[in-house]
Amino acid sequence: MRSKPGLSGTNTSQLILLMLDKTMKIREAHPSDAPAIVLLLDQLGYPNTGDFLADRIKSLLGDPEEELVVGEQDDVIVAILSLHYIPQLASRGPFARISYFCVHHDHRSCGLGRQLEDYVEQAARARGCDRIEVHCHSRRTDAHRFYTRQGYE
């Protein structure tokens, strides 16, 4: 688990779907996105999610402490982000946890991951979070390098 401390400048305005630039649109995921998300989860090492994923997406969308978004280029889903907001007893604000973060392997190393991470920071600030944590298996060495470049410790 890695964390990014020191989120400041909280903005309590509600985040609406965000277009970070002309190359990737970030929007809330929908159950109809399940086939594309299945492919991304498979790239993360989670095979065989197709038979339950649409229902899981519906469940997550109904939970106010969860956020599931996809990144699109030319109306094709190329990235996914699952974000959880967790209240804390001993800190002023909750923290945001990135549980699933994947850019399609054909679209990596061109700034899309940074765009998703920027989205995470904005969403966390809007919710009053004082830090962001990321859950990432140690075998994902490229992902750990990415998170280090983004300021995670």
Side-chain angles (χ1 to χ4, degrees), residues 8-24:
S8 61
T10 59
N11 179 354
T12 57
S13 64
Q14 181 181 14
L15 277 183
I16 302 177
L17 303 180
L18 175 64
M19 173 86 77
L20 292 172
D21 78 5
K22 295 177 184 173
T23 63
M24 186 168 71

Side-chain angles (χ1 to χ4, degrees), residues 2 4 17 19-20 22 24 28 35 40 50 56 59 62 65 71 78 86 90-91 99 101 104 106 110 116 139 152-153:
R2 300 175 75 109
K4 187 172 194 173
L17 303 180
M19 173 86 77
L20 292 172
K22 295 177 184 173
M24 186 168 71
E28 184 177 70
L40 292 167
R56 182 62 47 90
S59 175
E65 303 303 324
V78 297
I86 303 168
S91 64
S99 293
F101 185 115
H104 190 282
D106 291 339
C110 59
L116 275 179
R139 74 175 177 264
Y152 289 84
E153 301 171 351

Side-chain angles (χ1 to χ4, degrees), residues 44-101:
L44 282 176
Y46 300 100
N48 308 315
T49 58
D51 61 334
F52 64 84
L53 193 61
D55 287 336
R56 182 62 47 90
I57 292 169
K58 287 179 196 172
S59 175
L60 289 173
L61 293 176
D63 186 332
E65 303 303 324
E66 306 286 333
E67 189 168 358
L68 183 62
V69 298
V70 294
E72 293 181 325
Q73 284 187 313
D74 300 320
D75 297 322
V76 175
I77 294 173
V78 297
I80 184 171
L81 167 69
S82 178
L83 189 59
H84 311 282
Y85 301 101
I86 303 168
Q88 296 298 300
L89 180 62
S91 64
R92 191 169 301 277
F95 69 87
R97 177 176 289 156
I98 299 169
S99 293
Y100 298 90
F101 185 115

